[in-house]
Amino acid sequence: MSTSRGPEGARVIARYWIETARPLEEAAATMAGEQSTGTFVRVEGETDALRERFAARIEALTPMGETHAPSLPGAWRPSGGAAVWRTAQVTLSWPLHNFGPSLPNLLAAVAGNLWELKAFSGMRLLDLTLPAEFLSVYPGPQFGVAGTRAVSGVHGRPLIGTIIKPSVGLSPDATAARVAELATAGVDFIKDDELQADGPHCPFEARFSAVMRVLREHAERTGHRVLYAVNITGEIDQMLRRHERVVSESGNCVMVSLNSIGLPALTALRAHCQVPIHGHRNGWGLLGRSPAIGVSFPAWQKLWRLAGIDHVHVNGLDNKFCESNESVIASARECRTPMFPPPARGCEIMPVFSSGQTALQVPGTWQALGTVDLIHACGGGIIGHPGGAAAGVRSLRQAWEAAVAGIPLGEYAREHRELAEAIATFGR
Amino acid sequence: MSTSRGPEGARVIARYWIETARPLEEAAATMAGEQSTGTFVRVEGETDALRERFAARIEALTPMGETHAPSLPGAWRPSGGAAVWRTAQVTLSWPLHNFGPSLPNLLAAVAGNLWELKAFSGMRLLDLTLPAEFLSVYPGPQFGVAGTRAVSGVHGRPLIGTIIKPSVGLSPDATAARVAELATAGVDFIKDDELQADGPHCPFEARFSAVMRVLREHAERTGHRVLYAVNITGEIDQMLRRHERVVSESGNCVMVSLNSIGLPALTALRAHCQVPIHGHRNGWGLLGRSPAIGVSFPAWQKLWRLAGIDHVHVNGLDNKFCESNESVIASARECRTPMFPPPARGCEIMPVFSSGQTALQVPGTWQALGTVDLIHACGGGIIGHPGGAAAGVRSLRQAWEAAVAGIPLGEYAREHRELAEAIATFGR
């Protein structure tokens, strides 16, 4: 099913990977029933007419092979004889009128009790296709790629930047001093660590004001306005107050830890927000790491895009975490893939590459993505550069120039000293 | 470490299960470093004094045995030779001043990037111990057990009730008609299904008003005020408006899908709420099902108790989902275990037993828990009773009378017809 609209109106489509010892058709029917009109037993009032109008439907069922051990405990297995655990991809659809265009209530249907069903020894939500009716309620990203470029003044190349480290322990003044060094070095983008929000040793207001003094002076001196994603994560009233402060002091970006705040809090922030929202996905590993259980990045990021983020983290090539390069690239592409067909808005956002990034990963990133519409956060590649942070920033710009021009990094390095030093340092 | 306060001030304590091919001490140090002052490389400014004051600390490390295959993909393994995957429980602590008493920012530390660390092929957050400073910011449950009993007028036994089924497809009037039958049958408690919130075929306002007309008439006629957990899940402004409506029409309980709304939305609701908050945990399986990855119920429920729920679902004995009886009972006990030592508030809440519940599970539930302070949601045991819903309710009250008096169910059934019928019907 390639469209989210049937003759009877809009439908929500969700694709899952499942593992079960039950016949596949029966297992898929259990999912559809439990998450719409059915319950464990047929109850009075569950008429054929009601089911016709409200039941979730199996749109596709593709067997993916068998295995001899269940991935998760607690699943049904035949008594006696050996169980065969079948895997499959199953696509279900729900009439939108079951819950209306409400993200929290969508979740109860597509990501609610499913993972507790006894029929299943494995389940992942792989993808979601939503009808454009959601755009009548949710605004999507306010800035996206074009808006972020307009705010930052960076065009034709990635925004190059870094996270403030150490993550925890710097005072507001020490943080501002670190920011001054980075701004002088020429970064386009600076963000707080997700561990740094409003702790008593480095409270939000003092830190933000100290940093903005530095960045305003820098802009007056150089004309270059660094994008600063200040971490405003907190309770809803706190986030709204902090956003007011950001606007009143000419701040230009806010960061929130998405999994910590939840979709309704992001929706509330987005309704008031006047700057790009930098979405941090910490905690993502809980949903993304296991092949046996969880929610895939393509499904997860759509929810947050609709609710209004402008940027989201996707790790980076050869990162220091456990995510593969294939997964990183697929995630980044997903951020730039329209969620709805034209003329509806596509809600594309800017992927943020980070974790162990230096000039060395630039050619591979460019070759895999074919775009410079990304934020490249390269702490090590900037502050770890032997020529200092300014040389680190230059090495990254040079690497992107080379990649886009189709020139091998080593060749371009012959006439670009900082790139040559980066290769010598990080290529070992 | 049994206290959350060291000589240098309050600390947050988190206990994890881990699996790693690295030496255990090194793996634990990676967790502590990444989630506080450290990063992949030691950076300028990460002084000994800074680490002394802000670093997370390893409080305990208990090896739990070895295994020969990694539970999750993507983890580090030695090149060449066979890897040994070690498992352990590790307890870390953080100075509270790293993030302050903020639940969203606590999450970034104890449940943030940890699951993406390459050192680990398995990780679960098993428990959290928070300092009482959190009570200066978060109110905890407003009603809990005593308040729920006061509102419902039910004392000395569990609240007996059910979920409205079919979950989806009933009109507001059909919902109200179903509620009228259940109220007449004598239930103490009725809740919406989590799939039913504000869909266009059964909008919140029309459904709530229709149900409250029935329940107010019932209360006038019988003096018995049924607790109705109406599902107000939605965006924050929607939930607050729905709560106003609940109060204005003498409603007495609201239900929210916790994982769908997030902690800050619950905190915002709790700040205004005048009735008990019924916490639905749908989606819980995503965190709770796998032994290799996730967050345990003891840790998870503490966050929501602090933020203000009064009830939470724990499944039930011999439930139709995949959770074991041991896990169900442990979860229910956890809800009733104080979060903080006296004189601080314990934040105890009421566990909700549900899923395939009938009179048959009552003796086991009583024996395992030793309390009647719970909500027993028994759809099948009530509407599936051969004598009708009123007989179903009576069979459950009789089962609880027998259990508390220490009388075997079969013996009590000799003089209690509805219980005898329940045993004959559900005991097959």
Side-chain angles (χ1 to χ4, degrees):
Chain A
M1 186 170 184
S2 61
T3 168
S4 57
R5 183 166 306 279
E8 72 294 67
R11 298 183 79 83
V12 162
I13 302 167
R15 186 163 53 87
Y16 299 86
W17 172 87
I18 58 171
E19 182 187 279
T20 179
R22 310 287 305 178
L24 286 174
E25 292 74 12
E26 182 201 302
T30 300
M31 294 175 76
E34 270 299 313
Q35 295 307 102
S36 61
T37 58
T39 183
F40 292 108
V41 292
R42 186 79 174 265
V43 298
E44 190 196 348
E46 190 192 341
T47 61
D48 288 345
L50 182 145
R51 285 195 298 144
E52 174 81 13
R53 193 162 161 221
F54 297 101
R57 206 157 65 194
I58 303 167
E59 301 287 350
L61 181 58
T62 310
M64 306 284 286
E66 297 179 352
T67 173
H68 291 285
S71 295
L72 301 174
W76 180 89
R77 60 165 73 217
S79 54
V84 174
W85 306 90
R86 298 174 186 87
T87 67
Q89 285 199 11
V90 57
T91 302
L92 303 183
S93 77
W94 285 259
L96 178 62
H97 64 225
N98 278 27
F99 33 76
S102 163
L103 290 177
N105 291 304
L106 169 74
L107 281 180
V110 304
N113 279 341
L114 282 169
W115 283 269
E116 298 199 55
L117 294 176
K118 210 166 194 141
F120 298 94
S121 58
M123 182 176 295
R124 275 181 68 81
L125 172 58
L126 300 179
D127 202 3
L128 273 177
T129 305
L130 302 178
E133 275 80 353
F134 277 88
L135 285 175
S136 69
V137 175
Y138 295 95
Q142 183 176 193
F143 290 86
V145 174
T148 298
R149 291 202 177 283
V151 169
S152 66
V154 176
H155 298 277
R157 59 173 175 81
L159 275 71
I160 292 167
T162 184
I163 301 162
I164 299 167
K165 297 278 178 187
S167 321
V168 172
L170 296 177
S171 68
D173 286 343
T175 305
R178 194 61 50 99
V179 166
E181 292 165 25
L182 291 166
T184 304
V187 301
D188 307 310
F189 172 79
I190 297 175
K191 66 178 277 294
D192 284 328
D193 195 272
E194 78 275 10
L195 298 173
Q196 185 66 273
D198 188 43
H201 66 288
C202 191
F204 166 80
E205 298 209 348
R207 181 177 79 256
F208 180 69
S209 290
V211 168
M212 286 311 297
R213 269 194 301 277
V214 163
L215 291 182
R216 280 193 305 265
E217 283 167 21
H218 178 77
E220 281 161 26
R221 202 166 56 245
T222 65
H224 189 199
R225 198 157 174 253
V226 177
L227 201 70
Y228 171 40
V230 59
N231 185 3
I232 65 168
T233 300
E235 301 302 333
I236 290 158
D237 53 344
Q238 292 173 329
M239 292 194 285
L240 294 179
R241 273 201 310 272
R242 289 172 193 162
H243 167 262
E244 288 304 311
R245 179 68 172 257
V246 167
V247 170
S248 75
E249 289 205 43
S250 312
N252 52 16
C253 189
V254 292
M255 164 176 145
V256 284
S257 288
L258 301 175
N259 295 307
S260 300
I261 68 168
L263 286 161
L266 180 64
T267 299
L269 173 63
R270 170 67 178 84
H272 295 85
C273 203
Q274 298 179 42
V275 296
I277 300 175
H278 187 83
H280 200 291
R281 71 173 187 179
N282 66 84
W284 159 248
L286 269 171
L287 297 175
R289 176 88 185 265
S290 169
I293 188 168
V295 176
S296 77
F297 187 79
W300 181 87
Q301 53 96 41
K302 285 181 184 172
L303 303 169
W304 300 98
R305 280 163 66 179
L306 253 182
I309 55 171
D310 296 289
H311 315 150
V312 79
H313 283 239
V314 297
N315 274 331
L317 292 191
D318 307 328
N319 63 78
K320 303 287 188 174
F321 290 120
C322 56
E323 190 172 1
S324 71
N325 287 348
E326 294 68 29
S327 174
V328 169
I329 294 300
S331 294
R333 286 201 183 122
E334 195 64 45
C335 296
R336 320 244 14 259
T337 303
M339 280 184 64
F340 306 101
R345 299 181 57 205
C347 297
E348 296 90 338
I349 60 170
M350 209 152 187
V352 183
F353 283 67
S354 69
S355 176
Q357 297 296 292
T358 71
L360 295 184
Q361 288 103 325
V362 169
T365 306
W366 163 259
Q367 281 155 29
L369 277 190
T371 178
V372 293
D373 288 340
L374 57 97
I375 296 175
H376 204 176
C378 311
I382 292 175
I383 59 176
H385 192 285
V393 173
R394 279 196 292 275
S395 74
L396 282 152
R397 289 207 199 177
Q398 291 161 1
W400 279 100
E401 288 160 14
V404 172
I407 303 169
L409 222 51
E411 185 182 324
Y412 204 68
R414 280 186 221 130
E415 302 197 348
H416 294 87
R417 186 168 52 89
E418 294 87 355
L419 180 56
E421 290 169 349
I423 294 171
T425 304
F426 304 122
R428 285 178 303 190
Chain B
M1 185 169 184
S2 61
T3 168
S4 57
R5 184 167 305 280
E8 73 294 66
R11 297 184 79 83
V12 162
I13 302 166
R15 186 163 53 87
Y16 300 84
W17 173 87
I18 58 171
E19 183 187 278
T20 180
R22 309 289 303 178
L24 286 174
E25 292 73 11
E26 181 202 304
T30 301
M31 293 175 75
E34 270 298 313
Q35 294 308 103
S36 62
T37 58
T39 183
F40 293 108
V41 293
R42 187 79 172 266
V43 298
E44 189 197 351
E46 192 191 340
T47 61
D48 287 345
L50 182 145
R51 285 195 299 143
E52 173 82 14
R53 193 162 162 224
F54 296 102
R57 204 157 66 196
I58 302 167
E59 301 287 351
L61 181 59
T62 310
M64 306 286 285
E66 298 179 354
T67 173
H68 291 285
S71 295
L72 301 174
W76 179 90
R77 60 165 74 218
S79 55
V84 174
W85 306 89
R86 298 175 187 85
T87 67
Q89 286 199 12
V90 56
T91 303
L92 303 182
S93 76
W94 285 258
L96 178 63
H97 64 225
N98 279 26
F99 33 76
S102 162
L103 290 177
N105 290 305
L106 168 74
L107 282 179
V110 303
N113 279 341
L114 282 168
W115 282 270
E116 300 200 54
L117 293 177
K118 211 165 192 140
F120 299 94
S121 58
M123 183 178 293
R124 276 181 68 81
L125 172 57
L126 299 179
D127 202 4
L128 273 177
T129 305
L130 302 178
E133 276 80 354
F134 276 88
L135 286 175
S136 69
V137 175
Y138 295 97
Q142 184 175 191
F143 290 87
V145 174
T148 298
R149 290 200 177 284
V151 170
S152 66
V154 176
H155 298 278
R157 60 174 175 80
L159 275 70
I160 291 167
T162 184
I163 301 160
I164 299 167
K165 296 279 179 185
S167 322
V168 171
L170 296 177
S171 67
D173 286 344
T175 305
R178 194 61 49 97
V179 166
E181 291 165 25
L182 291 166
T184 304
V187 299
D188 306 309
F189 172 79
I190 297 176
K191 67 177 276 294
D192 283 328
D193 195 272
E194 78 275 11
L195 298 173
Q196 185 68 269
D198 188 43
H201 67 288
C202 191
F204 166 80
E205 298 209 348
R207 180 176 80 255
F208 180 68
S209 289
V211 168
M212 286 311 297
R213 269 195 300 276
V214 162
L215 291 181
R216 281 194 303 266
E217 283 168 19
H218 178 77
E220 281 162 26
R221 202 166 57 244
T222 65
H224 187 198
R225 200 159 172 251
V226 177
L227 201 68
Y228 172 39
V230 60
N231 185 2
I232 66 168
T233 301
E235 302 303 332
I236 291 159
D237 54 344
Q238 292 173 328
M239 291 194 286
L240 294 180
R241 274 202 308 272
R242 289 171 193 162
H243 167 261
E244 287 305 310
R245 178 70 171 255
V246 167
V247 170
S248 74
E249 289 204 43
S250 312
N252 53 16
C253 190
V254 293
M255 164 176 144
V256 285
S257 289
L258 301 175
N259 294 307
S260 302
I261 69 169
L263 285 161
L266 181 65
T267 298
L269 172 63
R270 170 67 177 84
H272 296 85
C273 203
Q274 300 179 42
V275 296
I277 300 175
H278 187 82
H280 200 291
R281 70 172 188 179
N282 66 84
W284 159 247
L286 269 170
L287 297 176
R289 177 88 182 267
S290 169
I293 188 168
V295 176
S296 78
F297 187 80
W300 181 87
Q301 53 97 41
K302 284 180 184 171
L303 303 169
W304 301 98
R305 280 163 66 179
L306 253 182
I309 55 170
D310 297 288
H311 316 149
V312 78
H313 283 239
V314 296
N315 274 331
L317 291 190
D318 307 328
N319 63 79
K320 303 286 188 171
F321 289 119
C322 56
E323 190 172 358
S324 72
N325 287 348
E326 294 67 29
S327 175
V328 169
I329 293 301
S331 295
R333 284 201 184 123
E334 196 62 44
C335 295
R336 320 243 15 259
T337 304
M339 279 184 65
F340 305 101
R345 300 180 56 204
C347 297
E348 297 91 336
I349 60 169
M350 209 153 186
V352 182
F353 283 69
S354 69
S355 178
Q357 297 297 292
T358 70
L360 294 184
Q361 287 103 324
V362 169
T365 306
W366 164 259
Q367 281 155 27
L369 276 190
T371 179
V372 294
D373 287 340
L374 58 97
I375 296 175
H376 203 176
C378 310
I382 291 175
I383 59 177
H385 193 284
V393 173
R394 279 197 292 275
S395 75
L396 282 152
R397 289 208 199 177
Q398 291 160 1
W400 278 101
E401 288 161 13
V404 172
I407 302 169
L409 223 52
E411 186 181 323
Y412 203 68
R414 280 186 221 131
E415 302 197 347
H416 294 87
R417 187 167 52 86
E418 294 87 353
L419 181 56
E421 289 169 350
I423 294 170
T425 304
F426 304 120
R428 284 179 304 188

